[in-house]
Amino acid sequence: MHDKPAWPGIAAGIAAGALWGLVFLAPELTHGFTSMQLSAGRYLAYGLVAALLIAPSWSRIKARLTRREWWTLAWLSPAGNVVYYIFLANAVRSGGVAMASLVIGLSPLAVTLLGSRDRHAVPLRALLPSLLLGLAGLLCISWESLARSGPGSAFGLLCALGALAAWTFYAVCNSRVLARLTTVSAHEWSLLTGVMTGAQALLLAVPAFLFAPAMHAPADWLRFAGVVTGVAILCSVIGNGLWNVASRRLPLSLMGQMIIFETVFAALYGWLYDARWPSVPECAAMLLLVGGVLSCASAHRNAARKERSAPAENAVC
């Protein structure tokens, strides 16, 4: 899997992060709607769009899937979608974007550490500079915001930790599933995930919309529908598809670093939304985060170079 050139996978990972960064703005654009409504709306739209896209090839794809793949979709889909997004939306609303992005931004470190134990992984000592740069960047990007707004509520912190656990679990398991799955493409797996997530979101939609006490004007519902549909198409359909492409081309220890770009782009969108320039610490954070990714990519490139030269050296001996 990882004999393919790395740069298309890195490019796909960066593009996925650019789209995923938009999810941090969605709770700010849908005031008055609950986190459960936002999650249900997004994933109902994701499921509908995915079903329309996969319909022409449904018979062929269905014939290639075993019971094991369907079971995997059943438990993997909610972890990386519905469960994660409910936690994320609550973390943003209760603790603020800064605290949420800081905690969830630790997922690259967690995924990279878990990936360093995989077969053929780069030794952890070679990844240490990248991990330290990423941690320093995440601290910088949230330092000033945390100082202004405080640490956030205990509920927001717990939700952020829940989102971190859900996303780390999804990223690791999804990468390992794609490593062994050869019967469908990365894009088809993303659409299958969307169909399964949409079906599960139907169960969430009943309590989310029928028992919600708040009443909304038609204009509010139109904005809500536009936001969740846009997030579903850009972040879920396209973003998840790009992430699966990267997962098939990059080792898990490098894939973890690609999640950094969600935090980077979330910060960029936040500055645009607030109509302000980044501060000096925030600029330093961007340099540190990107430097961490470059360091990680360099470590993997050097390891691959040594692996290619090893057979030649053994042959000479």
Side-chain angles (χ1 to χ4, degrees), residues 180-226:
R180 64 170 174 79
L181 188 65
T182 58
T183 54
V184 296
S185 68
H187 179 61
E188 289 168 342
W189 183 252
S190 175
L191 294 179
L192 286 167
T193 302
V195 172
M196 181 63 72
T197 303
Q200 294 169 340
L202 286 171
L203 301 176
L204 181 65
V206 175
F209 292 105
L210 291 185
F211 304 117
M215 300 296 293
H216 301 284
D220 295 331
W221 281 110
L222 285 175
R223 170 180 281 203
F224 175 81

mmCIF file of all heavy atoms in Angstrom, residues 180-226:
data_model
loop_
_atom_site.group_PDB
_atom_site.id
_atom_site.type_symbol
_atom_site.label_atom_id
_atom_site.label_comp_id
_atom_site.label_asym_id
_atom_site.label_seq_id
_atom_site.Cartn_x
_atom_site.Cartn_y
_atom_site.Cartn_z
ATOM 1 N N ARG A 180 -6.484 -3.297 4.471
ATOM 2 C CA ARG A 180 -6.780 -4.686 4.106
ATOM 3 C C ARG A 180 -7.913 -4.807 3.079
ATOM 4 O O ARG A 180 -8.094 -5.859 2.471
ATOM 5 C CB ARG A 180 -7.152 -5.485 5.354
ATOM 6 C CG ARG A 180 -8.426 -5.026 6.035
ATOM 7 C CD ARG A 180 -8.869 -6.016 7.112
ATOM 8 N NE ARG A 180 -10.002 -5.525 7.873
ATOM 9 C CZ ARG A 180 -11.262 -5.558 7.454
ATOM 10 N NH1 ARG A 180 -11.537 -6.047 6.251
ATOM 11 N NH2 ARG A 180 -12.243 -5.091 8.219
ATOM 12 N N LEU A 181 -8.663 -3.719 2.868
ATOM 13 C CA LEU A 181 -9.832 -3.772 1.986
ATOM 14 C C LEU A 181 -9.414 -3.462 0.554
ATOM 15 O O LEU A 181 -8.911 -2.378 0.259
ATOM 16 C CB LEU A 181 -10.885 -2.767 2.463
ATOM 17 C CG LEU A 181 -12.240 -2.800 1.781
ATOM 18 C CD1 LEU A 181 -12.955 -4.117 2.064
ATOM 19 C CD2 LEU A 181 -13.094 -1.636 2.262
ATOM 20 N N THR A 182 -9.624 -4.415 -0.353
ATOM 21 C CA THR A 182 -9.221 -4.226 -1.755
ATOM 22 C C THR A 182 -10.400 -4.331 -2.720
ATOM 23 O O THR A 182 -10.223 -4.109 -3.919
ATOM 24 C CB THR A 182 -8.166 -5.281 -2.148
ATOM 25 O OG1 THR A 182 -8.713 -6.602 -1.943
ATOM 26 C CG2 THR A 182 -6.903 -5.127 -1.297
ATOM 27 N N THR A 183 -11.577 -4.639 -2.219
ATOM 28 C CA THR A 183 -12.713 -4.886 -3.119
ATOM 29 C C THR A 183 -13.437 -3.609 -3.536
ATOM 30 O O THR A 183 -14.184 -3.617 -4.509
ATOM 31 C CB THR A 183 -13.723 -5.833 -2.448
ATOM 32 O OG1 THR A 183 -14.095 -5.288 -1.174
ATOM 33 C CG2 THR A 183 -13.107 -7.213 -2.252
ATOM 34 N N VAL A 184 -13.260 -2.518 -2.782
ATOM 35 C CA VAL A 184 -13.885 -1.245 -3.136
ATOM 36 C C VAL A 184 -12.833 -0.149 -3.075
ATOM 37 O O VAL A 184 -11.816 -0.283 -2.386
ATOM 38 C CB VAL A 184 -15.068 -0.888 -2.200
ATOM 39 C CG1 VAL A 184 -16.180 -1.904 -2.341
ATOM 40 C CG2 VAL A 184 -14.607 -0.777 -0.761
ATOM 41 N N SER A 185 -13.088 0.968 -3.780
ATOM 42 C CA SER A 185 -12.154 2.089 -3.779
ATOM 43 C C SER A 185 -12.330 2.923 -2.515
ATOM 44 O O SER A 185 -13.298 2.769 -1.763
ATOM 45 C CB SER A 185 -12.380 2.964 -5.009
ATOM 46 O OG SER A 185 -13.635 3.629 -4.915
ATOM 47 N N ALA A 186 -11.381 3.832 -2.297
ATOM 48 C CA ALA A 186 -11.458 4.725 -1.134
ATOM 49 C C ALA A 186 -12.715 5.599 -1.212
ATOM 50 O O ALA A 186 -13.376 5.840 -0.191
ATOM 51 C CB ALA A 186 -10.203 5.594 -1.059
ATOM 52 N N HIS A 187 -13.053 6.074 -2.411
ATOM 53 C CA HIS A 187 -14.245 6.910 -2.582
ATOM 54 C C HIS A 187 -15.515 6.108 -2.311
ATOM 55 O O HIS A 187 -16.448 6.602 -1.664
ATOM 56 C CB HIS A 187 -14.272 7.490 -3.992
ATOM 57 C CG HIS A 187 -15.476 8.340 -4.288
ATOM 58 N ND1 HIS A 187 -15.777 9.487 -3.591
ATOM 59 C CD2 HIS A 187 -16.481 8.187 -5.211
ATOM 60 C CE1 HIS A 187 -16.900 10.017 -4.056
ATOM 61 N NE2 HIS A 187 -17.334 9.248 -5.035
ATOM 62 N N GLU A 188 -15.555 4.875 -2.803
ATOM 63 C CA GLU A 188 -16.726 4.029 -2.564
ATOM 64 C C GLU A 188 -16.892 3.713 -1.078
ATOM 65 O O GLU A 188 -18.019 3.683 -0.571
ATOM 66 C CB GLU A 188 -16.605 2.739 -3.376
ATOM 67 C CG GLU A 188 -16.770 2.953 -4.875
ATOM 68 C CD GLU A 188 -16.361 1.748 -5.694
ATOM 69 O OE1 GLU A 188 -15.639 0.880 -5.157
ATOM 70 O OE2 GLU A 188 -16.734 1.679 -6.874
ATOM 71 N N TRP A 189 -15.790 3.509 -0.374
ATOM 72 C CA TRP A 189 -15.864 3.252 1.065
ATOM 73 C C TRP A 189 -16.406 4.484 1.799
ATOM 74 O O TRP A 189 -17.183 4.357 2.746
ATOM 75 C CB TRP A 189 -14.502 2.866 1.600
ATOM 76 C CG TRP A 189 -14.486 2.513 3.056
ATOM 77 C CD1 TRP A 189 -13.968 3.237 4.080
ATOM 78 C CD2 TRP A 189 -15.041 1.329 3.663
ATOM 79 N NE1 TRP A 189 -14.147 2.604 5.288
ATOM 80 C CE2 TRP A 189 -14.810 1.424 5.061
ATOM 81 C CE3 TRP A 189 -15.711 0.210 3.161
ATOM 82 C CZ2 TRP A 189 -15.212 0.439 5.949
ATOM 83 C CZ3 TRP A 189 -16.116 -0.783 4.064
ATOM 84 C CH2 TRP A 189 -15.867 -0.653 5.423
ATOM 85 N N SER A 190 -16.010 5.659 1.343
ATOM 86 C CA SER A 190 -16.522 6.893 1.937
ATOM 87 C C SER A 190 -18.032 7.013 1.724
ATOM 88 O O SER A 190 -18.774 7.390 2.636
ATOM 89 C CB SER A 190 -15.812 8.109 1.337
ATOM 90 O OG SER A 190 -16.374 9.314 1.804
ATOM 91 N N LEU A 191 -18.503 6.688 0.516
ATOM 92 C CA LEU A 191 -19.937 6.760 0.241
ATOM 93 C C LEU A 191 -20.709 5.709 1.040
ATOM 94 O O LEU A 191 -21.816 5.981 1.532
ATOM 95 C CB LEU A 191 -20.191 6.577 -1.254
ATOM 96 C CG LEU A 191 -19.654 7.686 -2.171
ATOM 97 C CD1 LEU A 191 -19.952 7.361 -3.636
ATOM 98 C CD2 LEU A 191 -20.247 9.036 -1.797
ATOM 99 N N LEU A 192 -20.141 4.522 1.182
ATOM 100 C CA LEU A 192 -20.783 3.490 1.998
ATOM 101 C C LEU A 192 -20.884 3.942 3.454
ATOM 102 O O LEU A 192 -21.905 3.710 4.122
ATOM 103 C CB LEU A 192 -19.991 2.186 1.902
ATOM 104 C CG LEU A 192 -20.118 1.406 0.590
ATOM 105 C CD1 LEU A 192 -19.057 0.322 0.514
ATOM 106 C CD2 LEU A 192 -21.516 0.791 0.466
ATOM 107 N N THR A 193 -19.839 4.596 3.937
ATOM 108 C CA THR A 193 -19.859 5.146 5.287
ATOM 109 C C THR A 193 -20.975 6.183 5.411
ATOM 110 O O THR A 193 -21.682 6.246 6.428
ATOM 111 C CB THR A 193 -18.510 5.795 5.631
ATOM 112 O OG1 THR A 193 -17.466 4.818 5.512
ATOM 113 C CG2 THR A 193 -18.498 6.354 7.048
ATOM 114 N N GLY A 194 -21.149 6.995 4.361
ATOM 115 C CA GLY A 194 -22.208 8.002 4.368
ATOM 116 C C GLY A 194 -23.598 7.387 4.399
ATOM 117 O O GLY A 194 -24.479 7.860 5.127
ATOM 118 N N VAL A 195 -23.803 6.341 3.602
ATOM 119 C CA VAL A 195 -25.108 5.676 3.583
ATOM 120 C C VAL A 195 -25.423 5.090 4.956
ATOM 121 O O VAL A 195 -26.540 5.236 5.479
ATOM 122 C CB VAL A 195 -25.135 4.572 2.504
ATOM 123 C CG1 VAL A 195 -26.413 3.746 2.616
ATOM 124 C CG2 VAL A 195 -25.045 5.198 1.113
ATOM 125 N N MET A 196 -24.453 4.414 5.560
ATOM 126 C CA MET A 196 -24.657 3.830 6.883
ATOM 127 C C MET A 196 -24.893 4.915 7.932
ATOM 128 O O MET A 196 -25.769 4.793 8.798
ATOM 129 C CB MET A 196 -23.435 2.982 7.267
ATOM 130 C CG MET A 196 -23.547 2.306 8.628
ATOM 131 S SD MET A 196 -24.896 1.105 8.725
ATOM 132 C CE MET A 196 -24.228 -0.235 7.707
ATOM 133 N N THR A 197 -24.112 6.010 7.848
ATOM 134 C CA THR A 197 -24.278 7.110 8.803
ATOM 135 C C THR A 197 -25.643 7.760 8.666
ATOM 136 O O THR A 197 -26.294 8.097 9.664
ATOM 137 C CB THR A 197 -23.178 8.165 8.589
ATOM 138 O OG1 THR A 197 -21.903 7.548 8.722
ATOM 139 C CG2 THR A 197 -23.296 9.290 9.604
ATOM 140 N N GLY A 198 -26.111 7.949 7.425
ATOM 141 C CA GLY A 198 -27.422 8.536 7.203
ATOM 142 C C GLY A 198 -28.538 7.675 7.773
ATOM 143 O O GLY A 198 -29.504 8.191 8.361
ATOM 144 N N ALA A 199 -28.413 6.350 7.608
ATOM 145 C CA ALA A 199 -29.422 5.448 8.158
ATOM 146 C C ALA A 199 -29.443 5.534 9.686
ATOM 147 O O ALA A 199 -30.509 5.540 10.305
ATOM 148 C CB ALA A 199 -29.134 4.012 7.713
ATOM 149 N N GLN A 200 -28.274 5.604 10.301
ATOM 150 C CA GLN A 200 -28.211 5.715 11.758
ATOM 151 C C GLN A 200 -28.694 7.079 12.240
ATOM 152 O O GLN A 200 -29.251 7.196 13.338
ATOM 153 C CB GLN A 200 -26.777 5.448 12.226
ATOM 154 C CG GLN A 200 -26.324 4.015 11.984
ATOM 155 C CD GLN A 200 -24.836 3.816 12.191
ATOM 156 O OE1 GLN A 200 -24.061 4.775 12.161
ATOM 157 N NE2 GLN A 200 -24.426 2.582 12.416
ATOM 158 N N ALA A 201 -28.485 8.111 11.423
ATOM 159 C CA ALA A 201 -28.935 9.458 11.805
ATOM 160 C C ALA A 201 -30.451 9.570 11.836
ATOM 161 O O ALA A 201 -30.990 10.461 12.506
ATOM 162 C CB ALA A 201 -28.359 10.501 10.835
ATOM 163 N N LEU A 202 -31.153 8.683 11.128
ATOM 164 C CA LEU A 202 -32.614 8.682 11.195
ATOM 165 C C LEU A 202 -33.094 8.430 12.624
ATOM 166 O O LEU A 202 -34.086 9.002 13.075
ATOM 167 C CB LEU A 202 -33.180 7.609 10.256
ATOM 168 C CG LEU A 202 -33.120 7.918 8.749
ATOM 169 C CD1 LEU A 202 -33.506 6.685 7.950
ATOM 170 C CD2 LEU A 202 -34.032 9.093 8.406
ATOM 171 N N LEU A 203 -32.380 7.558 13.332
ATOM 172 C CA LEU A 203 -32.735 7.277 14.728
ATOM 173 C C LEU A 203 -32.478 8.485 15.609
ATOM 174 O O LEU A 203 -33.214 8.735 16.568
ATOM 175 C CB LEU A 203 -31.928 6.074 15.237
ATOM 176 C CG LEU A 203 -32.114 4.762 14.474
ATOM 177 C CD1 LEU A 203 -31.177 3.687 15.030
ATOM 178 C CD2 LEU A 203 -33.559 4.293 14.546
ATOM 179 N N LEU A 204 -31.432 9.247 15.277
ATOM 180 C CA LEU A 204 -31.103 10.437 16.053
ATOM 181 C C LEU A 204 -32.068 11.584 15.753
ATOM 182 O O LEU A 204 -32.341 12.419 16.620
ATOM 183 C CB LEU A 204 -29.667 10.867 15.736
ATOM 184 C CG LEU A 204 -29.101 12.080 16.463
ATOM 185 C CD1 LEU A 204 -28.978 11.790 17.956
ATOM 186 C CD2 LEU A 204 -27.736 12.447 15.878
ATOM 187 N N ALA A 205 -32.600 11.620 14.527
ATOM 188 C CA ALA A 205 -33.437 12.749 14.105
ATOM 189 C C ALA A 205 -34.760 12.805 14.864
ATOM 190 O O ALA A 205 -35.303 13.895 15.092
ATOM 191 C CB ALA A 205 -33.708 12.660 12.603
ATOM 192 N N VAL A 206 -35.299 11.656 15.268
ATOM 193 C CA VAL A 206 -36.607 11.642 15.943
ATOM 194 C C VAL A 206 -36.567 12.434 17.245
ATOM 195 O O VAL A 206 -37.330 13.397 17.420
ATOM 196 C CB VAL A 206 -37.075 10.189 16.171
ATOM 197 C CG1 VAL A 206 -38.361 10.178 16.984
ATOM 198 C CG2 VAL A 206 -37.284 9.483 14.838
ATOM 199 N N PRO A 207 -35.674 12.095 18.187
ATOM 200 C CA PRO A 207 -35.634 12.921 19.416
ATOM 201 C C PRO A 207 -35.073 14.317 19.172
ATOM 202 O O PRO A 207 -35.428 15.263 19.878
ATOM 203 C CB PRO A 207 -34.730 12.117 20.352
ATOM 204 C CG PRO A 207 -33.876 11.288 19.458
ATOM 205 C CD PRO A 207 -34.736 10.959 18.284
ATOM 206 N N ALA A 208 -34.202 14.453 18.165
ATOM 207 C CA ALA A 208 -33.554 15.754 17.929
ATOM 208 C C ALA A 208 -34.556 16.807 17.464
ATOM 209 O O ALA A 208 -34.489 17.973 17.886
ATOM 210 C CB ALA A 208 -32.439 15.603 16.898
ATOM 211 N N PHE A 209 -35.487 16.435 16.597
ATOM 212 C CA PHE A 209 -36.390 17.422 16.004
ATOM 213 C C PHE A 209 -37.811 17.387 16.580
ATOM 214 O O PHE A 209 -38.451 18.430 16.707
ATOM 215 C CB PHE A 209 -36.450 17.221 14.486
ATOM 216 C CG PHE A 209 -35.165 17.560 13.782
ATOM 217 C CD1 PHE A 209 -34.332 16.558 13.309
ATOM 218 C CD2 PHE A 209 -34.770 18.875 13.617
ATOM 219 C CE1 PHE A 209 -33.141 16.861 12.667
ATOM 220 C CE2 PHE A 209 -33.582 19.190 12.977
ATOM 221 C CZ PHE A 209 -32.762 18.181 12.510
ATOM 222 N N LEU A 210 -38.298 16.200 16.939
ATOM 223 C CA LEU A 210 -39.677 16.114 17.408
ATOM 224 C C LEU A 210 -39.841 16.605 18.839
ATOM 225 O O LEU A 210 -40.882 17.155 19.199
ATOM 226 C CB LEU A 210 -40.180 14.673 17.294
ATOM 227 C CG LEU A 210 -40.381 14.133 15.875
ATOM 228 C CD1 LEU A 210 -40.991 12.743 15.917
ATOM 229 C CD2 LEU A 210 -41.276 15.065 15.053
ATOM 230 N N PHE A 211 -38.807 16.407 19.666
ATOM 231 C CA PHE A 211 -38.926 16.750 21.078
ATOM 232 C C PHE A 211 -38.137 17.996 21.460
ATOM 233 O O PHE A 211 -37.932 18.266 22.630
ATOM 234 C CB PHE A 211 -38.490 15.568 21.941
ATOM 235 C CG PHE A 211 -39.250 14.312 21.646
ATOM 236 C CD1 PHE A 211 -38.608 13.186 21.158
ATOM 237 C CD2 PHE A 211 -40.631 14.256 21.830
ATOM 238 C CE1 PHE A 211 -39.306 12.029 20.876
ATOM 239 C CE2 PHE A 211 -41.343 13.101 21.544
ATOM 240 C CZ PHE A 211 -40.682 11.982 21.070
ATOM 241 N N ALA A 212 -37.653 18.742 20.460
ATOM 242 C CA ALA A 212 -36.923 19.978 20.752
ATOM 243 C C ALA A 212 -37.915 21.076 21.106
ATOM 244 O O ALA A 212 -38.889 21.314 20.370
ATOM 245 C CB ALA A 212 -36.087 20.394 19.547
ATOM 246 N N PRO A 213 -37.707 21.799 22.211
ATOM 247 C CA PRO A 213 -38.687 22.812 22.638
ATOM 248 C C PRO A 213 -38.653 24.102 21.824
ATOM 249 O O PRO A 213 -39.644 24.797 21.730
ATOM 250 C CB PRO A 213 -38.280 23.083 24.097
ATOM 251 C CG PRO A 213 -36.811 22.763 24.146
ATOM 252 C CD PRO A 213 -36.610 21.646 23.166
ATOM 253 N N ALA A 214 -37.501 24.442 21.249
ATOM 254 C CA ALA A 214 -37.360 25.739 20.588
ATOM 255 C C ALA A 214 -38.117 25.769 19.254
ATOM 256 O O ALA A 214 -38.154 24.792 18.514
ATOM 257 C CB ALA A 214 -35.886 26.044 20.355
ATOM 258 N N MET A 215 -38.711 26.926 18.961
ATOM 259 C CA MET A 215 -39.392 27.153 17.689
ATOM 260 C C MET A 215 -38.524 28.075 16.842
ATOM 261 O O MET A 215 -37.891 28.996 17.350
ATOM 262 C CB MET A 215 -40.756 27.782 17.917
ATOM 263 C CG MET A 215 -41.693 26.923 18.773
ATOM 264 S SD MET A 215 -42.137 25.357 17.994
ATOM 265 C CE MET A 215 -43.118 25.953 16.623
ATOM 266 N N HIS A 216 -38.528 27.834 15.527
ATOM 267 C CA HIS A 216 -37.669 28.614 14.644
ATOM 268 C C HIS A 216 -38.482 29.185 13.490
ATOM 269 O O HIS A 216 -39.440 28.573 13.010
ATOM 270 C CB HIS A 216 -36.536 27.744 14.091
ATOM 271 C CG HIS A 216 -35.659 27.147 15.140
ATOM 272 N ND1 HIS A 216 -34.712 27.859 15.821
ATOM 273 C CD2 HIS A 216 -35.605 25.876 15.632
ATOM 274 C CE1 HIS A 216 -34.102 27.065 16.685
ATOM 275 N NE2 HIS A 216 -34.627 25.860 16.588
ATOM 276 N N ALA A 217 -38.061 30.362 13.038
ATOM 277 C CA ALA A 217 -38.690 30.996 11.887
ATOM 278 C C ALA A 217 -38.260 30.284 10.608
ATOM 279 O O ALA A 217 -37.225 29.617 10.575
ATOM 280 C CB ALA A 217 -38.289 32.471 11.833
ATOM 281 N N PRO A 218 -39.046 30.423 9.519
ATOM 282 C CA PRO A 218 -38.670 29.793 8.250
ATOM 283 C C PRO A 218 -37.275 30.181 7.780
ATOM 284 O O PRO A 218 -36.549 29.338 7.235
ATOM 285 C CB PRO A 218 -39.750 30.296 7.284
ATOM 286 C CG PRO A 218 -40.932 30.564 8.152
ATOM 287 C CD PRO A 218 -40.378 31.059 9.446
ATOM 288 N N ALA A 219 -36.885 31.449 8.001
ATOM 289 C CA ALA A 219 -35.545 31.875 7.586
ATOM 290 C C ALA A 219 -34.460 31.126 8.352
ATOM 291 O O ALA A 219 -33.397 30.803 7.790
ATOM 292 C CB ALA A 219 -35.395 33.387 7.804
ATOM 293 N N ASP A 220 -34.723 30.835 9.632
ATOM 294 C CA ASP A 220 -33.757 30.076 10.430
ATOM 295 C C ASP A 220 -33.611 28.655 9.897
ATOM 296 O O ASP A 220 -32.501 28.111 9.834
ATOM 297 C CB ASP A 220 -34.189 30.032 11.897
ATOM 298 C CG ASP A 220 -34.178 31.403 12.539
ATOM 299 O OD1 ASP A 220 -33.372 32.244 12.102
ATOM 300 O OD2 ASP A 220 -34.981 31.639 13.464
ATOM 301 N N TRP A 221 -34.728 28.053 9.508
ATOM 302 C CA TRP A 221 -34.665 26.695 8.963
ATOM 303 C C TRP A 221 -33.933 26.666 7.622
ATOM 304 O O TRP A 221 -33.203 25.705 7.333
ATOM 305 C CB TRP A 221 -36.081 26.139 8.789
ATOM 306 C CG TRP A 221 -36.682 25.639 10.069
ATOM 307 C CD1 TRP A 221 -37.718 26.193 10.770
ATOM 308 C CD2 TRP A 221 -36.286 24.484 10.801
ATOM 309 N NE1 TRP A 221 -37.986 25.464 11.891
ATOM 310 C CE2 TRP A 221 -37.134 24.407 11.953
ATOM 311 C CE3 TRP A 221 -35.308 23.519 10.619
ATOM 312 C CZ2 TRP A 221 -37.015 23.382 12.889
ATOM 313 C CZ3 TRP A 221 -35.184 22.495 11.557
ATOM 314 C CH2 TRP A 221 -36.026 22.437 12.678
ATOM 315 N N LEU A 222 -34.119 27.702 6.817
ATOM 316 C CA LEU A 222 -33.400 27.759 5.539
ATOM 317 C C LEU A 222 -31.898 27.866 5.760
ATOM 318 O O LEU A 222 -31.104 27.201 5.077
ATOM 319 C CB LEU A 222 -33.900 28.952 4.711
ATOM 320 C CG LEU A 222 -35.269 28.797 4.045
ATOM 321 C CD1 LEU A 222 -35.684 30.098 3.368
ATOM 322 C CD2 LEU A 222 -35.229 27.653 3.023
ATOM 323 N N ARG A 223 -31.498 28.704 6.720
ATOM 324 C CA ARG A 223 -30.068 28.820 7.027
ATOM 325 C C ARG A 223 -29.532 27.492 7.560
ATOM 326 O O ARG A 223 -28.456 27.043 7.150
ATOM 327 C CB ARG A 223 -29.834 29.922 8.048
ATOM 328 C CG ARG A 223 -28.399 29.921 8.579
ATOM 329 C CD ARG A 223 -28.148 31.000 9.601
ATOM 330 N NE ARG A 223 -27.941 32.286 8.955
ATOM 331 C CZ ARG A 223 -27.295 33.294 9.519
ATOM 332 N NH1 ARG A 223 -26.819 33.175 10.740
ATOM 333 N NH2 ARG A 223 -27.144 34.435 8.886
ATOM 334 N N PHE A 224 -30.283 26.864 8.445
ATOM 335 C CA PHE A 224 -29.874 25.585 9.008
ATOM 336 C C PHE A 224 -29.698 24.541 7.902
ATOM 337 O O PHE A 224 -28.690 23.824 7.853
ATOM 338 C CB PHE A 224 -30.915 25.109 10.030
ATOM 339 C CG PHE A 224 -30.645 23.744 10.596
ATOM 340 C CD1 PHE A 224 -29.732 23.576 11.629
ATOM 341 C CD2 PHE A 224 -31.311 22.633 10.097
ATOM 342 C CE1 PHE A 224 -29.492 22.308 12.157
ATOM 343 C CE2 PHE A 224 -31.078 21.368 10.615
ATOM 344 C CZ PHE A 224 -30.160 21.203 11.646
ATOM 345 N N ALA A 225 -30.685 24.476 6.996
ATOM 346 C CA ALA A 225 -30.612 23.506 5.896
ATOM 347 C C ALA A 225 -29.413 23.784 5.000
ATOM 348 O O ALA A 225 -28.719 22.850 4.557
ATOM 349 C CB ALA A 225 -31.901 23.540 5.077
ATOM 350 N N GLY A 226 -29.133 25.058 4.728
ATOM 351 C CA GLY A 226 -27.981 25.398 3.904
ATOM 352 C C GLY A 226 -26.662 25.024 4.552
ATOM 353 O O GLY A 226 -25.761 24.490 3.887
#
